[in-house]
PDB file of all heavy atoms in Angstrom:
ATOM      1  N   ASN A   9       3.474  22.094   6.780  1.00 98.00           N
ATOM      2  CA  ASN A   9       4.322  23.319   6.783  1.00 98.00           C
ATOM      3  C   ASN A   9       5.371  23.065   5.629  1.00 98.00           C
ATOM      4  O   ASN A   9       5.448  22.049   4.985  1.00 98.00           O
ATOM      5  CB  ASN A   9       4.924  23.685   8.096  1.00 98.00           C
ATOM      6  CG  ASN A   9       6.037  22.783   8.553  1.00 98.00           C
ATOM      7  OD1 ASN A   9       6.893  22.334   7.719  1.00 98.00           O
ATOM      8  ND2 ASN A   9       6.062  22.419   9.812  1.00 98.00           N
ATOM      9  N   MET A  14      11.758  19.487   8.571  1.00 98.00           N
ATOM     10  CA  MET A  14      10.692  18.861   9.348  1.00 98.00           C
ATOM     11  C   MET A  14      10.013  17.791   8.489  1.00 98.00           C
ATOM     12  O   MET A  14       9.646  16.747   8.991  1.00 98.00           O
ATOM     13  CB  MET A  14       9.645  19.933   9.720  1.00 98.00           C
ATOM     14  CG  MET A  14       9.576  20.035  11.239  1.00 98.00           C
ATOM     15  SD  MET A  14       8.195  21.094  11.806  1.00 98.00           S
ATOM     16  CE  MET A  14       7.118  19.781  12.461  1.00 98.00           C
ATOM     17  N   SER A  43       6.014  27.064   9.546  1.00 98.00           N
ATOM     18  CA  SER A  43       5.582  26.310  10.712  1.00 98.00           C
ATOM     19  C   SER A  43       4.144  26.771  10.965  1.00 98.00           C
ATOM     20  O   SER A  43       3.710  27.880  10.612  1.00 98.00           O
ATOM     21  CB  SER A  43       6.401  26.650  11.922  1.00 98.00           C
ATOM     22  OG  SER A  43       6.367  28.053  12.201  1.00 98.00           O
ATOM     23  N   ILE A  44       3.289  25.906  11.559  1.00 98.00           N
ATOM     24  CA  ILE A  44       1.919  26.204  11.784  1.00 98.00           C
ATOM     25  C   ILE A  44       1.682  26.415  13.264  1.00 98.00           C
ATOM     26  O   ILE A  44       1.825  25.506  14.043  1.00 98.00           O
ATOM     27  CB  ILE A  44       1.042  24.940  11.340  1.00 98.00           C
ATOM     28  CG1 ILE A  44       1.513  24.279  10.033  1.00 98.00           C
ATOM     29  CG2 ILE A  44      -0.436  25.355  11.326  1.00 98.00           C
ATOM     30  CD1 ILE A  44       1.496  25.220   8.809  1.00 98.00           C
ATOM     31  N   CYS A  76       0.446  17.298  11.086  1.00 98.00           N
ATOM     32  CA  CYS A  76       0.487  18.545  11.791  1.00 98.00           C
ATOM     33  C   CYS A  76      -0.567  18.466  12.887  1.00 98.00           C
ATOM     34  O   CYS A  76      -1.718  18.075  12.573  1.00 98.00           O
ATOM     35  CB  CYS A  76       0.204  19.700  10.882  1.00 98.00           C
ATOM     36  SG  CYS A  76       0.008  21.312  11.791  1.00 98.00           S
ATOM     37  N   PHE A  77      -0.282  18.825  14.118  1.00 98.00           N
ATOM     38  CA  PHE A  77      -1.214  18.553  15.250  1.00 98.00           C
ATOM     39  C   PHE A  77      -2.516  19.296  15.224  1.00 98.00           C
ATOM     40  O   PHE A  77      -3.432  18.965  15.941  1.00 98.00           O
ATOM     41  CB  PHE A  77      -0.486  18.822  16.606  1.00 98.00           C
ATOM     42  CG  PHE A  77      -1.127  18.041  17.712  1.00 98.00           C
ATOM     43  CD1 PHE A  77      -0.919  16.689  17.886  1.00 98.00           C
ATOM     44  CD2 PHE A  77      -1.909  18.719  18.591  1.00 98.00           C
ATOM     45  CE1 PHE A  77      -1.542  16.022  18.879  1.00 98.00           C
ATOM     46  CE2 PHE A  77      -2.577  18.042  19.671  1.00 98.00           C
ATOM     47  CZ  PHE A  77      -2.409  16.650  19.802  1.00 98.00           C
ATOM     48  N   THR A 116       3.499  22.937  21.795  1.00 98.00           N
ATOM     49  CA  THR A 116       4.500  23.976  21.568  1.00 98.00           C
ATOM     50  C   THR A 116       4.029  25.283  22.186  1.00 98.00           C
ATOM     51  O   THR A 116       3.886  25.392  23.413  1.00 98.00           O
ATOM     52  CB  THR A 116       4.757  24.090  20.026  1.00 98.00           C
ATOM     53  OG1 THR A 116       3.483  24.387  19.443  1.00 98.00           O
ATOM     54  CG2 THR A 116       5.331  22.798  19.477  1.00 98.00           C
ATOM     55  N   THR A 120      -1.238  27.840  20.715  1.00 97.00           N
ATOM     56  CA  THR A 120      -1.795  26.690  19.910  1.00 97.00           C
ATOM     57  C   THR A 120      -2.664  25.825  20.744  1.00 97.00           C
ATOM     58  O   THR A 120      -3.349  24.923  20.198  1.00 97.00           O
ATOM     59  CB  THR A 120      -0.683  25.889  19.280  1.00 97.00           C
ATOM     60  OG1 THR A 120      -0.021  25.132  20.318  1.00 97.00           O
ATOM     61  CG2 THR A 120       0.313  26.736  18.483  1.00 97.00           C
ATOM     62  N   VAL A 147       7.864  25.767  17.027  1.00 98.00           N
ATOM     63  CA  VAL A 147       7.941  24.522  16.292  1.00 98.00           C
ATOM     64  C   VAL A 147       9.366  24.314  15.713  1.00 98.00           C
ATOM     65  O   VAL A 147       9.924  23.228  15.868  1.00 98.00           O
ATOM     66  CB  VAL A 147       6.911  24.499  15.130  1.00 98.00           C
ATOM     67  CG1 VAL A 147       7.133  23.375  14.178  1.00 98.00           C
ATOM     68  CG2 VAL A 147       5.479  24.428  15.671  1.00 98.00           C
ATOM     69  N   GLY A 180       2.158  17.109  21.218  1.00 98.00           N
ATOM     70  CA  GLY A 180       1.319  18.053  20.416  1.00 98.00           C
ATOM     71  C   GLY A 180       1.971  18.691  19.272  1.00 98.00           C
ATOM     72  O   GLY A 180       1.594  19.773  18.828  1.00 98.00           O
ATOM     73  N   CYS A 181       2.965  17.992  18.667  1.00 98.00           N
ATOM     74  CA  CYS A 181       3.585  18.498  17.421  1.00 98.00           C
ATOM     75  C   CYS A 181       4.299  17.330  16.715  1.00 98.00           C
ATOM     76  O   CYS A 181       4.934  16.515  17.370  1.00 98.00           O
ATOM     77  CB  CYS A 181       4.599  19.575  17.782  1.00 98.00           C
ATOM     78  SG  CYS A 181       5.327  20.285  16.340  1.00 98.00           S
ATOM     79  N   ALA A 182       4.168  17.292  15.379  1.00 98.00           N
ATOM     80  CA  ALA A 182       4.878  16.314  14.618  1.00 98.00           C
ATOM     81  C   ALA A 182       6.371  16.375  14.777  1.00 98.00           C
ATOM     82  O   ALA A 182       7.070  15.384  14.782  1.00 98.00           O
ATOM     83  CB  ALA A 182       4.594  16.485  13.096  1.00 98.00           C
TER      84      ALA A 182
HETATM   85  C1  5HY B   1       2.820  20.682  13.918  1.00 89.29           C
HETATM   86  N1  5HY B   1       2.709  22.976  13.782  1.00 89.29           N
HETATM   87  O1  5HY B   1       2.632  19.567  14.244  1.00 89.29           O
HETATM   88  C2  5HY B   1       2.117  21.881  14.499  1.00 89.29           C
HETATM   89  C3  5HY B   1       2.365  21.932  15.971  1.00 89.29           C
HETATM   90  C4  5HY B   1       1.664  23.067  16.641  1.00 89.29           C
HETATM   91  O2  5HY B   1       4.059  23.188  11.967  1.00 89.29           O
HETATM   92  N2  5HY B   1       3.568  21.155  12.881  1.00 89.29           N
HETATM   93  C5  5HY B   1       3.494  22.519  12.825  1.00 89.29           C
HETATM   94  O3  5HY B   1       2.375  23.848  17.301  1.00 89.29           O
HETATM   95  O4  5HY B   1       0.440  23.180  16.522  1.00 89.29           O
END
Side-chain angles (χ1 to χ4, degrees):
N9 75 40
M14 246 190 105
S43 59
I44 320 298
C76 172
F77 203 74
T116 57
T120 68
V147 169
C181 180

